[in-house]
Amino acid sequence: MIIVTAGHVDHGKTHLLQALTGTDTDRLPEEQKRGLTIDLGYAFMPLSSYHQSSDNQQSDNPEASPDNILGFIDVPGHEKFLSNMLAGVGTARHAMFVVASDEGLMPQSYEHLKILHLLAIESLTVVLTKSDKVSKEQQQNREAELERVLTQYGFSSWKLFACSAYTGDGIAELKQHLKALTDKCNQQPKTINSFRLAIDRAFTVKGTGLVVTGTVLSGRVKIGDHLYLASRQLQKPIKIRVRSLHCQGKKAEQAHADQRVALNLSGDIDKDKLSRGDWLFAIEPQAPSSRITVTLKADQAIKHWQQVQVFHVASHITARLALLEQQHIDAGQSGLAELVFDNPLHITEQDKLLIRDPAAKISLGSATAIELSPPTRGKRKPERLTRLNQRATLTQPQNILQLSLQNAPVHIDDFCWQHQLSPEDLSKQVDNDKQQIIQSWLCHFSYLEDLENHIIESLTLYHQNCCDHLGIGRDRLHRMAALSHPKTIVDHLLQVMVNKNKLCNTRGWLHLPQHQLQLTAEEQILWQQIESEFEKAKAPLWIRDIAKACNREEKALRLFSYKLAQLGFITAIVKDRYCTNRALITIADIIRQKIAEEKKLETADFRNLTGLGRKVAVQLLEYFDKIGFTRRYQNHRLLRDEGLFKE
């Protein structure tokens, strides 16, 4: 367990920790010279014997396990070093708020107390230091003042102790409380989230190599684990291995959430490439987020598109705050907002952020990440805002998953990253009676049913409007009926529909089963005459030329051509100009072979290969583009849908 200190400068935080652990957390020469905490300091207290330890020392008690060692993060109290203080607070769930009995609450006391409240610290221990410098009556007045302010700031429960690091009064009672708090924390069930750690220090130890330290935010890590290192100075995450580790200041085999660790890493990485706020992950990280949706809790009035400073774990960055439901939020109100970062951050859902005004140097409020990839359009649609407000009430991944599946399929890798879950952990949340995994997507059966009905409706309309076409290509059907849906799911569903005879696949054309025609005996004879004309011409023919050759009325033959097209005998490449499907398959094979050899198809090459005139050759190429077999890129063609025009 880790406890972070908070309080005004020179109120005795460092001396209190020294009395508890025996460790002076002011490790920097400048800190020792000035008697002022500048950067984060760390100390450990084995709860069985209270022996001292430090980041790079083992406990004197070999029997003390990391779970029975309490870690402290000593943060600066001076306002100039607030960013360092926030880096310490951002990684802890428990805090010890320190106030000097002889001075009482001071400006930074109020600031730190507000920060602890905004970040929703799980437990708060309040310590009145320097109790030997005041009378009993003065001490009681301080306690009454603290209770009033804590209640005013919204804290519902806390424990208050009066101590003197100089005389030792109250130290034993505080230790007993901290031990009980640690025991209670250890008894709580551990989350299933994957390992995640924000680096706050990186250094090289002679004979050991690179060592990084930080507080484990979630999951477990053990010696030999392979992790992903994400640094702002690296173009992409790299894979490293844990060679050895110290947990809570003691050499250990493994560590878990809410413990302080020092990891000895092996891999192709230099210390100079690391800085505070870089990350270690158990699962491969996705690209950092440039924009996220958050639920915002305002402590001060906030305006739309206000420039803010965002503190996230051990990082801080500037951003713009776009309100989604109104133009401003008053103090004490909550709302939905979008944070647009000046530089991207590695962030996951449910992460807490502190929002500050960089000019006024005050805390504006706190935010919780609820969406890592907001849409670029339609972000203020009423149905989306309703869904986001529902999402804001949920904290457990299984509940968030169920809500997400009501609206759309969920990409498994994305959801695992957003909530730091392994695919195995996510699979435990799947309801096989209501949900289905399609490759990398998880879908609800009702979603698949709605999508299937929509595809059938779209095909029905297509058959009505394009009665001279047998059907439509797979890719074009996806663009026409389900463009906003993942192609992987659509392709899978189309194949299922074909297998269940809800769709028919005729030479690559998809159509409804009822979209079938048969020729009468008389029509069979006429089709044979028409087919012979196509064989003589060896090229597409106009309706007027076919009518003249077969001695038929042009209008009647045009109606008959629609029926032939529905049966798949001929296809209109332009209005009133047809080609037999057998010829189209032959031409398509020529195109496939040429593109396989040359990676593209020029118009001149197509004319040479087919022996057709320029005008009809262009008409054929544009037809293939229109139905999705090829696509035009600059002055040549590329293959688009391999499955079309096959016997």
Side-chain angles (χ1 to χ4, degrees):
M1 177 176 165
I2 296 291
I3 292 183
V4 64
T5 64
H8 193 74
V9 62
D10 202 29
H11 272 208
K13 296 184 295 297
T14 302
H15 288 160
L16 175 63
L17 292 186
Q18 189 167 9
L20 289 170
T21 68
T23 299
D24 184 358
T25 56
D26 284 346
R27 55 185 174 82
L28 301 176
E30 183 68 14
E31 291 178 319
Q32 296 172 356
K33 177 181 178 181
R34 297 171 62 182
L36 177 71
T37 301
I38 297 174
D39 202 358
L40 302 178
Y42 306 94
F44 301 96
M45 183 176 73
L47 297 174
S48 55
S49 60
Y50 309 124
H51 287 187
Q52 80 177 66
S53 110
S54 67
D55 249 2
N56 302 311
Q57 293 178 321
Q58 290 191 37
S59 167
D60 294 335
N61 178 11
E63 296 180 356
S65 69
D67 283 339
N68 202 33
I69 298 176
L70 179 59
F72 295 94
I73 302 177
D74 187 21
V75 305
H78 199 287
E79 62 177 346
K80 290 184 179 180
F81 310 118
L82 185 65
S83 61
N84 288 342
M85 178 267 181
L86 288 167
V89 173
T91 62
R93 295 183 177 90
H94 309 272
M96 189 160 61
F97 180 59
V98 177
V99 178
S101 297
D102 57 343
E103 290 188 354
L105 292 164
M106 298 293 284
Q108 285 304 108
S109 302
Y110 292 103
E111 181 71 13
H112 285 199
L113 197 60
K114 181 182 297 183
I115 290 170
L116 295 179
H117 174 63
L118 290 173
L119 292 179
I121 292 294
E122 291 181 11
S123 69
L124 181 66
T125 300
V126 183
V127 181
L128 277 166
T129 57
K130 306 181 183 181
S131 61
D132 57 306
K133 293 188 175 183
V134 296
S135 65
K136 186 175 181 179
E137 182 180 356
Q138 289 175 314
Q139 189 73 32
Q140 291 174 344
N141 291 336
R142 294 297 185 206
E143 292 177 4
E145 179 189 20
L146 271 170
E147 289 184 5
R148 177 180 57 80
V149 172
L150 288 167
T151 302
Q152 178 185 339
Y153 272 66
F155 290 94
S156 58
S157 63
W158 63 87
K159 289 286 186 179
L160 193 150
F161 297 87
C163 299
S164 170
Y166 180 74
T167 65
D169 291 342
I171 297 296
E173 290 80 359
L174 178 58
K175 285 182 176 180
Q176 290 300 323
H177 163 72
L178 296 176
K179 183 179 186 308
L181 188 62
T182 304
D183 292 340
K184 181 180 179 181
C185 181
N186 291 336
Q187 292 170 5
Q188 295 176 351
K190 304 302 179 185
T191 63
I192 61 173
N193 302 83
S194 297
F195 174 77
R196 185 167 64 130
L197 177 139
I199 296 172
D200 54 38
R201 291 175 59 198
F203 49 89
T204 302
V205 177
K206 187 175 182 180
T208 299
L210 177 65
V211 176
V212 299
T213 65
T215 302
V216 181
L217 295 181
S218 64
R220 292 179 177 273
V221 64
K222 62 180 183 298
I223 295 175
D225 279 355
H226 286 86
L227 305 174
Y228 292 92
L229 174 63
S231 170
R232 285 164 287 188
Q233 299 186 56
L234 297 174
Q235 291 185 349
K236 61 180 182 179
I238 63 172
K239 206 168 186 179
I240 52 89
R241 188 177 70 87
V242 179
R243 182 183 294 166
S244 62
L245 68 84
H246 280 66
C247 175
Q248 301 292 80
K250 178 181 174 63
K251 191 172 183 180
E253 294 292 323
Q254 64 177 3
H256 58 71
D258 208 19
Q259 289 184 327
R260 176 86 185 158
V261 297
L263 303 177
N264 176 211
L265 305 179
S266 64
D268 186 18
I269 183 61
D270 192 294
K271 179 182 76 68
D272 295 335
K273 295 291 185 181
L274 299 179
S275 58
R276 177 172 289 172
D278 291 339
W279 289 93
L280 287 175
F281 298 103
I283 59 178
E284 185 172 3
Q286 295 185 350
S289 300
S290 297
R291 298 182 302 121
I292 64 170
T293 305
V294 299
T295 55
L296 183 66
K297 181 180 179 181
D299 190 67
Q300 301 287 334
I302 299 176
K303 298 181 296 183
H304 174 67
W305 205 239
Q306 183 171 344
Q307 186 173 23
V308 296
Q309 194 172 22
V310 179
F311 289 82
H312 172 243
V313 192
S315 304
H316 60 92
I317 196 171
T318 53
R320 287 284 182 177
L321 191 62
L323 302 180
L324 298 180
E325 296 174 295
Q326 60 260 61
Q327 289 298 307
H328 71 276
I329 294 181
D330 294 329
Q333 293 184 341
S334 299
L336 297 171
E338 184 174 290
L339 279 170
V340 184
F341 301 124
D342 290 344
N343 292 297
L345 281 179
H346 276 109
I347 196 167
T348 64
E349 289 195 20
Q350 298 302 120
D351 279 1
K352 296 284 186 182
L353 305 103
L354 184 72
I355 311 297
R356 287 179 60 83
D357 186 328
K361 296 183 179 180
I362 59 173
S363 296
L364 296 174
S366 62
T368 303
I370 61 172
E371 188 181 42
L372 303 188
S373 301
T376 55
R377 304 177 69 179
K379 61 185 67 178
R380 291 180 174 84
K381 287 184 176 180
E383 57 270 22
R384 177 174 184 266
L385 296 179
T386 299
R387 188 173 66 254
L388 287 174
N389 279 307
Q390 290 177 326
R391 163 64 184 85
T393 64
L394 306 177
T395 58
Q396 297 303 314
Q398 58 267 32
N399 297 330
I400 297 170
L401 179 63
Q402 300 309 317
L403 176 65
S404 300
L405 287 172
Q406 293 176 15
N407 179 64
V410 170
H411 194 279
I412 293 174
D413 291 342
D414 290 349
F415 193 86
C416 286
W417 164 253
Q418 291 161 4
H419 298 274
Q420 291 298 290
L421 299 172
S422 67
E424 295 76 20
D425 291 329
L426 179 61
S427 65
K428 297 175 183 177
Q429 313 296 330
V430 176
D431 185 349
N432 294 321
D433 294 331
K434 298 180 180 179
Q435 297 154 10
Q436 180 181 357
I437 295 177
I438 300 175
Q439 294 188 25
S440 57
W441 293 89
L442 178 62
C443 311
H444 199 281
F445 286 156
S446 61
Y447 161 80
L448 294 174
E449 183 179 351
D450 291 342
L451 180 57
E452 179 181 304
N453 292 334
H454 182 66
I455 290 173
I456 292 175
E457 291 172 2
S458 299
L459 264 179
T460 301
L461 183 61
Y462 176 81
H463 290 327
Q464 292 172 355
N465 295 332
C466 303
C467 56
D468 59 339
H469 287 77
L470 174 62
I472 190 170
R474 186 184 299 269
D475 284 357
R476 190 181 175 201
L477 180 58
H478 175 225
R479 296 193 300 273
M480 182 181 76
L483 185 60
S484 61
H485 301 267
K487 190 174 185 300
T488 299
I489 296 176
V490 175
D491 287 346
H492 171 84
L493 184 58
L494 291 176
Q495 188 58 52
V496 170
M497 293 173 70
V498 169
N499 295 340
K500 292 181 177 180
N501 296 321
K502 294 183 177 181
L503 283 183
C504 291
N505 187 336
T506 304
R507 297 182 297 277
W509 302 103
L510 295 174
H511 58 92
L512 297 176
Q514 62 269 26
H515 188 66
Q516 297 287 351
L517 295 176
Q518 290 185 346
L519 297 179
T520 64
E522 183 180 351
E523 289 172 338
Q524 285 280 4
I525 295 172
L526 179 56
W527 161 238
Q528 291 174 5
Q529 292 176 338
I530 295 173
E531 189 176 26
S532 65
E533 294 299 323
F534 277 109
E535 290 176 355
K536 291 177 187 177
K538 298 186 183 303
L541 294 175
W542 293 100
I543 283 293
R544 61 178 179 268
D545 295 331
I546 300 173
K548 184 177 180 180
C550 296
N551 195 24
R552 299 278 179 164
E553 289 186 3
E554 187 176 325
K555 183 177 180 180
L557 193 59
R558 183 175 289 108
L559 293 174
F560 182 56
S561 68
Y562 295 159
K563 189 172 184 178
L564 291 175
Q566 290 178 14
L567 288 167
F569 294 146
I570 61 175
T571 295
I573 60 171
V574 293
K575 185 178 180 181
D576 274 3
R577 193 171 199 177
Y578 286 86
C579 183
T580 64
N581 281 342
R582 186 181 303 170
L584 286 176
I585 292 172
T586 301
I587 295 171
D589 288 339
I590 293 172
I591 293 174
R592 252 189 295 265
Q593 183 177 351
K594 184 64 177 178
I595 293 178
E597 294 172 355
E598 305 291 338
K599 306 300 181 186
K600 62 181 181 178
L601 176 70
E602 302 284 355
T603 303
D605 293 335
F606 179 69
R607 290 180 59 194
N608 293 334
L609 290 169
T610 59
L612 297 171
R614 183 181 182 280
K615 184 175 181 179
V616 68
V618 170
Q619 287 176 345
L620 278 167
L621 289 174
E622 289 178 347
Y623 165 75
F624 284 129
D625 293 340
K626 182 177 69 173
I627 54 87
F629 177 63
T630 58
R631 67 181 178 92
R632 182 173 179 175
Y633 178 73
Q634 295 179 352
N635 291 323
H636 56 267
R637 261 75 181 181
L638 303 175
L639 199 61
R640 188 169 194 171
D641 191 344
E642 172 69 22
L644 291 179
F645 299 107
K646 287 187 176 181
E647 292 284 4

